[in-house]
Structure formats: C-alpha cells, structure tokens
Amino acid sequence: MTTRTRLAALLAPRTLRGRLSLVALTTAALLMVILTVVFNTVVRHRLQREADDELRTRAAAVATTVDTRHGRVRVLETSGDRLLDTNAWIYADGRLLEQPPSGGGALTRAAGALAARGRRGCAVVHGPDTVRLCAEPVPGAGSRATVVTALDLAPYRNSAETLLLGSFALDAVMLACTYALTRLAVGRALRPVRAMTEQATQWSAVGSEERFAGRGRPAELAALGASLDALLDRIRAVLRHERQLTGELSHELRTPLSRIVAELDWWRSRPRSAAETRASHEVMAEAAQSMRTICDTLLDEAREGVPTAPGTADVPTVLHHLSAALDAPDAVRIVVAGGPAPLTAGVKPALLERIVSPLLANAVRYARTTVTLAVSRTDGGIRVEVTDDGPGVPGAFTELLFQPGKRADPADGHAGAGLGLPLARRLARSAGGEVTHDPGHGPGARFLVTLPAG
C-alpha cells in the first residue's frame, strides 16, 4: 500500500466505525486546540501580573530608602542597600540619583524614559534577556521622585513554555485515548448490526421464521429490524404468490396438455387417414389455444393491483362448451340447466371457464351418475350451481376446502395438488364474485358461483 493510499484511507475511511472515529477525533482536536490556546493565554496574563506585582513590591521596598523631607530628595543608606539596589533606579526631578552597580546601557535608558513620564507605567526591553521595567512614584513626593525596578522574565517565559509543551503532550494523549475509546465504543455499538448481517446470510427468507426485531436492541436498530422484517414478509408473500401461480398454471395446463399427448399417441399408434389426421390437428390446436388462454387469464389476474378486465359471457354457452370438452366417464352424465334468457355474466368467457372448470372437474370425478350445472339470475348477478350425486365433502374437511394444497383424501388415486378450488375462489373474487360450498346439501356436494351480471 502506497503512502498516498494510506493517507486516503486515513482521511476517508470506508467503514462506519472509521468515519465516526475520525469525526470524534476531529471534533476533540478542535476543542482541545481552543482550550489550549485559551488556557495558555490566561497563564501568560497571570504570569505577567505576578511579574508586575513583584516589581511593585520591590519598588515599594526601594521607596522606603528615599527621604523627601525638607523639600529635597535624598537616598538613605541602609544595611540592605546592596539588595535594594539590585535592578533599581531612583530619579528625582528627572535626575538619576541611584542605579544598579551594573547599570547603564539599554536598561538605564529605558528606565530614564519611564521615569520621565512622572507616573506609573511598565515597559519591556528585548535583548539577550527579556526584561520588564516598571516605574512607581515615591509616595509623598508628588511627581518629583520615581523608583524604576527591573525583572528578568526568563523564568516566567520558561514556565509558560513548559505549560504549553505540557498542554500539547496532554492533548496528544487525550486525542489518542479519544480515538481508541471511540473505536471501541462504536465497535460495541455496531455489534448488533454485524449480528443482523450474519443472520441475514444464514436465514432463508421463505423457510425461516426468524426475524430481526427483538428485545434489547437500541431504538434505531429496532426500527431498522422492523423495516427489514416487513421487507422479508413482502418477499415471502411475493415468493408464495409466485409458487401459487406456478402451481395453478401447472394444475390448469395439465388437462389440455394431456389431450395433446393423447392425440399424438393415438395418431402415432397406426397409420391414419387424412381426415383423421386433420381431426387430430384440430384437437391439438384447440388444446394449444386453451393452454394459451389459460396462461393469459392467470397471468393477467396475477398482476397485483390490476383488476380483472370487464367483459361479458353467455353463461349457458360457456357451460355447454365446458361439459362437451370435459372427458367424463361414460357412467356420468352432465346436465346444463338454465333459466329464462338472457343469462350473461360480467366477465370474459375465458375467466368464467377458469372459475367453473375446477368445480366441474371435481364434480365429475366424484359423481356416481349425474352432474348438474344450473344457471339462474339473482339480485344484481348470476349464480351457477355445480351439483353432483357423489359422497360429498367430509364434514371435518369443510373448513379446509379453499386452502391451497389441502385435499380431503390424498390417497384417493387422484394426482391433484389441491389448487383447483382456491384458484376458482380467487378468480371469482377478482371479478367481484364469490365461490362457496353449500354444506346443507345432500347427498353429494354443491358449490355456488356468484358473479356480477353482464
């Protein structure tokens, strides 16, 4: 990894943990710089005030050796004269009366300039050593006598620089601790996210009932988990709907496909005449067209949010066509009974076929002798009754009739998937109708189809 790459990774980390740590580090650095500047500024002012207090104290001590009585100013000699004379100048009416043994040069000139002002004041002389001078008028002498004292600022400057370096060192330690603690805290806070990621890779959206939402999660992650759970539920619903549609297509296409296979086997079993060949072609073409109609009808209905297209169908005509096309046993007779014309439903003929076909196929399968298709007009709609004289629906199975994949007797020799009745009800409801079972009818079974009138 090159230096530029490392720098880019440091300044623009890709992980959320790194970004939050960088934000915390930047914020802490700005705050510490501000606090360091403020702290050191206050310390410098404090050290300057201490230096000024020290100079004034020395000036007061030196002023005790100045005698202003009898109208003139003179310096009294004391036992501590050498100590008092250290870095001290005494002026009277602008004349220098006393100066340090090593006096002269820039310090004496600066002291003379301060004394000439005749009032309290301070100045800094820069040279090999930085020295601060303060002038203090002698009490009781008016402006005639002035004491000027000097103090080397090197110890104060050294203290300020030491505090500054210490502040920088402390800032560096604090920033390192802040970065480390932030990464640790963010890493611990993101553990539930990593756990959710691992769960998402292990779970199956359809086969698993596990969900992200749970107790003990922070409020933000709980809301995220709820959103992900809702997304999983939608995915499960879509996949379930897809499986249902696949099963329904397979269920509905089985009959016309069986007709095509049977005609091909019959045609290839022995030589056929031209008329027989044309008849076989017509049967296969009709079956293929039926398959296409089934696919179009089910796919159109499966489009979520798209209502079934309106249309009209002459119900007796559709029922006669279904009964003629159904391969019923010789012992079973299909009767179509209709009331006064017109008996027109407000759905397309293909949709009506798909609604009634599963009911009729079940009735023919279980009937002993007769299956009756009765059509009548009701208030605002059309009703189709599919009745057979078979054993009827077992009472214990009545509540499960319209659940996909449920069969009353899976070992009855019929290879159905339990999708016909649920499909009939779903298609009828999509057109504003309904499919129900009449449990009070007997013997045999009776199913009622209600559809809007055309």
Side-chain angles (χ1 to χ4, degrees):
M1 182 182 293
T2 63
T3 304
R4 180 177 297 180
T5 304
R6 292 194 184 96
L7 182 60
L10 180 62
L11 297 180
R14 296 181 179 180
T15 63
L16 179 61
R17 180 182 181 183
R19 292 181 181 180
L20 291 177
S21 300
L22 181 60
V23 170
L25 181 65
T26 304
T27 304
L30 291 176
L31 181 61
M32 289 181 183
V33 167
I34 295 173
L35 292 177
T36 300
V37 171
V38 172
F39 172 74
N40 282 273
T41 301
V42 172
V43 167
R44 287 181 178 277
H45 283 289
R46 179 64 180 175
L47 292 176
Q48 181 175 318
R49 289 182 58 185
E50 290 182 359
D52 291 348
D53 291 342
E54 176 67 19
L55 289 172
R56 292 190 180 94
T57 301
R58 291 186 180 183
V62 172
T64 60
T65 65
V66 178
D67 184 10
T68 59
R69 295 175 298 176
H70 310 295
R72 62 191 185 92
V73 178
R74 63 191 184 91
V75 179
L76 302 177
E77 297 295 331
T78 64
S79 59
D81 185 57
R82 292 182 178 274
L83 180 62
L84 294 176
D85 288 344
T86 302
N87 293 332
W89 292 261
I90 301 175
Y91 291 87
D93 297 325
R95 293 181 300 105
L96 179 60
L97 301 182
E98 189 79 19
Q99 65 178 1
S102 59
L107 290 181
T108 300
R109 289 194 295 271
L114 283 176
R117 297 177 185 176
R119 64 178 184 276
R120 176 184 293 179
C122 295
V124 177
V125 177
H126 299 281
D129 298 321
T130 301
V131 180
R132 186 171 180 80
L133 295 91
C134 286
E136 191 76 21
V138 177
S143 59
R144 296 181 59 192
T146 303
V147 176
V148 179
T149 54
L151 181 66
D152 186 4
L153 295 181
Y156 297 92
R157 294 289 177 88
N158 291 336
S159 298
E161 292 175 358
T162 302
L163 286 174
L164 181 61
L165 293 177
S167 299
F168 285 149
L170 180 61
D171 290 347
V173 173
M174 291 296 294
L175 288 177
C177 294
T178 299
Y179 184 75
L181 292 177
T182 302
R183 286 187 64 88
L184 179 62
V186 173
R188 292 179 62 87
L190 292 179
R191 283 182 183 176
V193 178
R194 290 195 296 270
M196 293 169 69
T197 303
E198 294 174 357
Q199 291 170 350
T201 58
Q202 297 173 1
W203 293 347
S204 167
V206 179
S208 176
E209 296 295 333
E210 298 290 342
R211 287 297 179 262
F212 291 109
R215 298 178 180 177
R217 297 190 189 276
E220 297 82 358
L221 293 183
L224 175 61
S227 300
L228 293 176
D229 290 344
L231 179 60
L232 282 177
D233 292 336
R234 289 196 295 271
I235 293 175
R236 291 191 62 181
V238 170
L239 294 178
R240 187 167 53 247
H241 183 68
E242 180 182 353
R243 288 204 310 267
Q244 180 182 1
L245 177 61
T246 303
E248 290 172 349
L249 282 172
S250 175
H251 179 274
E252 291 297 301
L253 294 176
R254 183 182 295 112
T255 299
L257 184 59
S258 299
R259 292 180 62 190
I260 293 176
V261 173
E263 287 295 329
L264 286 174
D265 291 341
W266 177 80
W267 182 75
R268 289 184 300 185
S269 62
R270 61 182 178 86
R272 300 295 174 182
S273 64
E276 290 174 336
T277 300
R278 284 195 302 272
S280 294
H281 289 172
E282 291 175 359
V283 171
M284 288 187 288
E286 182 182 355
Q289 180 60 36
S290 177
M291 293 174 67
R292 180 177 181 179
T293 303
I294 290 171
C295 290
D296 292 342
T297 302
L298 294 183
L299 290 175
D300 288 342
E301 192 280 332
R303 293 191 180 95
E304 186 177 358
V306 179
T308 301
T312 58
D314 183 69
V315 179
T317 301
V318 173
L319 297 182
H320 280 294
H321 175 72
L322 282 176
S323 60
L326 188 64
D327 187 14
D330 295 336
V332 177
R333 182 170 59 98
I334 301 176
V335 178
V336 179
L343 295 172
T344 305
V347 297
K348 290 182 177 181
L351 183 60
L352 179 59
E353 289 184 9
R354 302 277 61 79
I355 295 173
V356 178
S357 178
L359 306 177
L360 179 58
N362 283 346
V364 170
R365 182 178 301 115
Y366 296 109
R368 293 188 176 92
T369 59
T370 306
V371 174
T372 303
L373 300 175
V375 187
S376 61
R377 181 177 292 276
T378 61
D379 294 338
I382 297 294
R383 182 170 67 181
V384 179
E385 300 180 9
V386 182
T387 308
D388 66 76
D389 58 355
V393 179
F397 189 72
T398 302
E399 299 296 330
L400 304 176
L401 263 176
F402 296 97
Q403 292 189 17
K406 301 295 183 180
R407 295 181 56 193
D409 185 9
D412 60 359
H414 168 54
L419 298 174
L421 294 180
L423 173 62
R425 169 173 279 186
R426 186 166 63 84
L427 294 178
R429 288 179 174 177
S430 70
E434 183 61 276
V435 174
T436 58
H437 169 249
D438 182 7
H441 176 77
R446 180 167 67 177
F447 288 87
L448 306 177
V449 179
T450 57
L451 294 170

